[in-house]
Amino acid sequence: MNIRDIKVFICSPGRNFVTVKITTDSGIYGLGDATLNGREMAVVTYLEECVAPCLIGRSAHDIEDIWQYLYRGVYWRKGAVNMAAIAAIDMALWDIKGKAAGLPVYQLLGGRSRRAVTLYGHASGSTIDETLDHCAALVAEGYSAVRLQSAVAGLPATYGVLGDKKDYFELQGSRPLPPEEPWSTKKYFNGVVELFRRARERFGPELNLLHDVHSRLTPIESARLGKLLEPYDLLFLEDASIAENQQSYELIRQHTTTPLAIGETYNTLWDCKELIQNQWIDYIRMAATHAGGITALRRVADFAAIYNVKIAPHGAPDLSPICVAAHMHLNSWAPNFGIQEYVGAGSDACQQIFTNGVTVGNGMASPSEAPGLGVEFDEQAAAQHPYKRSYLPVSRLEDGTLWHW
Ligand code: GCO
Ligand code: MG
């Protein structure tokens, strides 16, 4: 079963998605996600120009060798563009292997470790009340875990908050250049602790609560936030500070027992080796699409398990339904799975283009039982929604200093 053809598609059903389709000479094909938010065309070019020509004619069964070929065989290791390209090829090859074997991918990984995958939903609002009402609606739908984000009072926009305060879903095409958003740690601190105090007051002790800081704090500020949030018992505090210097998490860890999560921008295990090995974090949030696919994420999960770190894959809207499917297979298998971020099935157009077979209900999800990943991609429907250049916003302090993501 050799690789006959590799096609790369880019479509924008509300936001951009890059999709890879590998077809074999036996007629079996596989699909993978290579979406890199705001840098989509770099991955398309890399796949078409540098990756695809090297793979034509090779055995589609050689997942491991192809992964090594594209990682070790290339002088330029790691990197977001490279690893997103490898990820898409890898997912498509697992999809093909599953179809050839007549088994869903989670069975190839070793079978189920749990009945279903626990999800956390997103609740946000312009005010604390609005955020908590949003949370109540998710609880009514059956969610047992919810991420809370409220607009920072006194700032014109807050990333991660839906509504007129800011769009989280980054409407594509509306941003021909990166918008800029101001940040004030002081203003943020004023509201965030109150948000969680009020959430516990309203929902009681059972509901799992989460929060994403989007890396806006310095390590000592993160340590302080973790301490202040301890009474409200978060499942995890996400991306409190950046960890290019992984040791900065040692400082945060020394001060707080609030569980810590990080990793959605990481491309390889090397980005978080010390974080995991030293048990400075509790959840690793790498995504199959940005970290080299199923092959790579499986290794991350096994490494993390040794140190009591769980996987909690990134599940924002810029990961295509194909990546969502890949995560559901990994999550079903991984003995050290923690929780999966979930933001819904996407726009109507998105659901017309992609079918991923994932069953969602009562705040839980299960992968498709179909052979492979269980995903479908409608090429004609995708062609109706062409690529639109778009960017994530840039963050600046109120005096204009460029700030962290
Ligand atoms: C999350 C993420 C997203 C990212 C987005 C960037 O936890 O859902 O932080 O909000 O910012 O995926 O591409
Ligand atoms: Mg995040």
Side-chain angles (χ1 to χ4, degrees), residues 120 147 159 168 212-214 238-239 264 285 314 316 341:
Y120 71 88
R147 186 187 95 162
Y159 183 76
Y168 168 71
D212 190 350
V213 186
H214 292 109
E238 176 188 338
D239 286 351
E264 66 184 42
R285 294 199 10 92
H314 189 202
E341 179 181 27

Side-chain angles (χ1 to χ4, degrees), residues 52-371:
C54 305
L55 303 185
I56 306 299
R58 297 173 60 116
S59 169
H61 274 308
D62 292 351
I63 300 181
E64 188 63 56
D65 187 63
I66 289 175
W67 197 96
Q68 299 293 338
Y69 182 87
L70 294 174
Y71 183 79
R72 300 166 92 172
V74 175
Y75 185 61
W76 312 105
R77 291 181 180 218
K78 308 193 268 185
V81 173
N82 183 30
M83 298 312 288
I86 295 178
I89 299 289
D90 183 78
M91 279 181 213
L93 293 177
W94 277 98
D95 192 19
I96 289 170
K97 198 182 276 297
K99 285 175 179 169
L103 290 170
V105 166
Y106 77 83
Q107 293 289 13
L108 303 185
L109 293 170
R112 269 184 210 285
S113 292
R114 57 194 49 79
R115 280 192 307 282
V117 167
T118 304
L119 307 173
Y120 71 88
H122 282 193
S124 63
S126 309
T127 61
I128 290 178
D129 281 324
E130 219 177 278
T131 304
L132 298 185
D133 288 347
H134 191 179
C135 179
L138 290 170
V139 171
E141 270 180 52
Y143 279 87
S144 61
V146 183
R147 186 187 95 162
L148 304 180
Q149 308 292 130
S150 219
V152 175
L155 290 181
T158 306
Y159 183 76
V161 174
L162 281 170
D164 58 1
K165 281 279 173 190
K166 201 59 251 164
D167 61 308
Y168 168 71
F169 291 87
E170 304 124 21
L171 291 172
Q172 304 285 319
S174 59
R175 289 177 171 174
L177 287 173
E180 303 205 346
E181 291 177 351
W183 175 256
S184 157
T185 297
K186 216 169 183 51
K187 289 176 178 152
Y188 167 70
F189 262 93
N190 291 341
V192 67
V193 180
E194 182 62 5
L195 170 65
F196 284 90
R197 191 190 67 72
R198 300 252 322 266
R200 276 290 168 229
E201 199 175 77
R202 179 155 165 191
F203 298 104
E206 286 302 312
L207 184 64
N208 286 306
L209 298 174
L210 304 93
H211 181 64
D212 190 350
V213 186
H214 292 109
S215 312
R216 303 292 200 265
L217 302 180
T218 64
I220 198 68
E221 289 165 352
S222 293
R224 178 167 163 247
L225 181 61
K227 264 172 106 163
L228 290 171
L229 292 177
E230 274 171 28
Y232 313 114
D233 187 24
L234 267 62
L235 182 80
F236 64 62
L237 180 65
E238 176 188 338
D239 286 351
S241 298
I242 55 158
E244 277 164 327
N245 173 11
Q246 296 183 37
Q247 207 171 358
S248 55
Y249 267 64
E250 184 178 17
L251 184 148
I252 306 174
R253 197 60 153 178
Q254 281 167 348
H255 288 282
T256 180
T257 57
T258 293
L260 303 170
I262 198 166
E264 66 184 42
T265 61
Y266 294 173
N267 311 130
T268 75
L269 183 55
W270 301 107
D271 294 332
C272 50
K273 179 173 164 280
E274 292 153 51
L275 287 170
I276 293 174
Q277 215 169 21
N278 294 303
Q279 304 189 36
W280 290 330
I281 57 168
D282 301 277
Y283 294 85
I284 182 71
R285 294 199 10 92
M286 287 155 85
T289 297
H290 300 133
I294 293 169
T295 298
L297 222 56
R298 183 179 55 163
R299 285 199 188 99
V300 170
D302 278 339
F303 179 71
I306 300 171
Y307 301 100
N308 287 309
V309 174
K310 293 180 178 176
I311 61 162
H314 189 202
D318 51 311
L319 294 154
S320 98
I322 298 173
C323 177
V324 174
H327 284 168
M328 294 309 173
H329 287 281
L330 277 157
N331 295 338
S332 294
W333 153 75
N336 56 326
F337 164 71
I339 197 158
Q340 174 64 58
E341 179 181 27
Y342 186 71
V343 291
S347 66
D348 289 349
C350 177
Q351 294 184 54
Q352 207 191 332
I353 296 168
F354 297 95
T355 325
N356 68 5
V358 173
T359 318
V360 178
N362 233 9
M364 309 284 286
S366 297
S368 167
E369 288 297 329

